Amino acid sequence: MSALRTLDDLLAEGVSGRRVLVRADLNVPLDKQSGAITDDGRIRAVLPTLGALVEAGAKVVVCSHLGRPKGAPDPQFSLSPVAGRLGELLGAPVRFATDTVGDSARSTVADLADGQVALLENLRFNAGETSKDEAERGAFADQLAAFGDAYVDDAFGAVHRKHASVYDVPARLPHVAGRLVLREVEVLSKLTSEPERPYVVVLGGSKVSDKLAVIEALLPTVDRLLIGGGMCFTFLKAQGLEVGTSLLEKDMVETCRNLLERADGKIMLPVDVVVADAFAPDAAHDTVRVDGIPSHRLGLDVGPETVAGFAAALSQAKTIFWNGPMGVFEMAAFAAGTRGIAEAITKADAFSVVGGGDSAAAVRALGLDESSFGHISTGGGASLEYLEGKTLPGIAALEN
């Protein structure tokens, strides 16, 4: 990887009075009823970059997506509540444009004083942001780039997307990596170059198909690969075990069988699971051995023996990467596996990386101390693709 120009390079050139367009990842979860932000972790993650630009007197124009609107305005995906929270965290009001590149955006940016911050409405309210058509994407990038004299990408959670604000805008403006993107790349390159051994990876989540590429990429480089979450049942099926009504990808059973054969004993699977009568927080449930899953029940978490075995493997590690919960942690009855693994990671004398997405959400939802992990990534998909060795469009754009 070629060296990225950084925020410090931009600050050294001087940004006072200049407009700096910052692509942030403010894609926070919102409560369906109240519209309130339920986890502001991603907003907090961009504060070091925004704070440095504000202090240096830049006119800061922030843009982001939220959710998956269909290329047109949709009130449930408005960034308006994010503007309010961002202002609280920055300690100064954030001006909010009610469109992305229209009249409101133009006047909001034009009225910015030095050291002030504006937030544009959701990028995905414009079809050009995610368009596969390069001309359509480029036209939208032209409009966005008109709001900046320089561009900072601090949206690691979006760098694996070939979107206008991530890939096309940096071709139109002097561009640098923000503090968050730089930290993410430094941490993940540590995992891919020379990780200190033993190197133990914990993968969870629901589907093997989502993680297959990263399993293929990691198998030759890791010392142990611990597999939990819904995806473990396809592996258990590959061992000839019955999994009841648990989540199962039938078309992946043979693939899992091949992976187990090639893994040379590196893959550790659960030995016990928590099974329930239904996918519900109050469902009757108990713990069974993996060779005794009843045909009418489904597994919703790994069991205590599995947690103990995984924790023993983690206690030996010097480098740990964790992506994906061990069970349905959002339901208290099925959160013990994820909590147990997370706590084991914090106790290990190792450099630990939490690979974004649901794992990062679980750390916060379970009230665990974030500072006890080496690094909590803001990009689940992006961190996995980086470990797979894929070219990330947003990083490639910053290197050019």
Side-chain angles (χ1 to χ4, degrees), residues 101-363:
V101 290
D103 292 341
S104 175
R106 283 191 289 272
S107 61
T108 302
V109 173
D111 290 345
L112 278 179
D114 295 0
Q116 285 189 334
V117 178
L119 175 63
L120 307 178
E121 185 53 286
N122 195 333
L123 290 162
R124 292 186 185 175
F125 285 1
N126 301 72
E129 167 67 358
T130 59
S131 177
K132 298 275 194 290
D133 182 298
E134 299 214 353
E136 185 181 14
R137 227 178 42 238
F140 180 56
D142 287 339
Q143 292 177 288
L144 268 181
F147 294 141
D149 302 307
Y151 169 87
V152 178
D153 189 347
D154 217 27
F156 184 74
V159 293
H160 60 315
R161 307 284 186 208
K162 195 173 182 178
H163 290 170
S165 63
V166 175
Y167 183 74
D168 301 277
V169 171
R172 290 156 169 79
L173 290 172
H175 48 268
V176 301
R179 297 256 155 94
L180 174 65
V181 163
L182 194 66
R183 170 77 179 144
E184 295 269 16
V185 170
E186 283 172 352
V187 164
L188 291 170
S189 62
K190 220 185 230 187
L191 297 185
T192 52
S193 50
E194 286 296 320
E196 198 180 342
R197 298 189 177 280
Y199 176 22
V200 178
V201 171
V202 188
L203 290 181
S206 55
K207 293 182 174 179
V208 180
S209 52
D210 291 343
K211 304 279 166 78
L212 179 63
V214 81
I215 293 172
E216 294 269 13
L218 287 171
L219 260 187
T221 61
V222 302
D223 297 295
R224 298 310 291 271
L225 180 56
L226 319 181
I227 292 179
M231 63 191 277
C232 79
F233 296 103
T234 305
F235 278 95
L236 293 172
K237 187 76 173 175
Q239 289 187 319
L241 298 172
E242 284 311 316
V243 296
T245 58
S246 306
L247 190 66
L248 176 65
E249 289 184 279
K250 288 180 181 166
D251 59 337
M252 297 298 292
V253 171
E254 192 55 39
T255 301
C256 289
R257 192 174 290 126
N258 291 336
L259 284 169
L260 289 167
E261 284 170 7
R262 284 168 36 211
D264 210 17
K266 286 182 182 180
I267 293 179
M268 274 182 83
L269 294 173
V271 292
D272 61 343
V273 290
V274 180
V275 293
D277 290 344
F279 187 87
D282 55 354
H285 60 276
D286 54 295
T287 303
V288 299
R289 303 282 301 174
V290 292
D291 58 2
I293 299 173
S295 61
H296 64 289
R297 306 188 89 184
L298 74 161
L300 294 179
D301 195 12
V302 297
E305 268 193 66
T306 299
V307 172
F310 282 13
L314 290 163
S315 71
Q316 305 296 311
K318 286 296 176 192
T319 305
I320 297 169
F321 176 75
W322 170 37
N323 179 280
M326 295 293 100
V328 188
F329 72 91
E330 299 89 345
M331 300 180 191
F334 312 111
T338 301
R339 176 183 291 283
I341 294 307
E343 288 174 346
I345 292 170
T346 66
K347 289 173 187 159
D349 180 20
F351 175 66
S352 60
V353 179
V354 180
D358 288 341
S359 326
V363 167

Side-chain angles (χ1 to χ4, degrees), residues 23 30 64-81 96-102 120-131 136 140 143-144 165:
R23 175 53 160 105
L30 302 174
S64 176
H65 72 285
L66 191 151
R68 293 178 182 245
K70 303 282 190 265
D74 183 338
Q76 66 173 320
F77 295 116
S78 175
L79 280 167
S80 177
F96 182 63
T98 56
D99 55 29
T100 313
V101 290
L120 307 178
E121 185 53 286
N122 195 333
L123 290 162
R124 292 186 185 175
F125 285 1
N126 301 72
E129 167 67 358
T130 59
S131 177
E136 185 181 14
F140 180 56
Q143 292 177 288
L144 268 181
S165 63

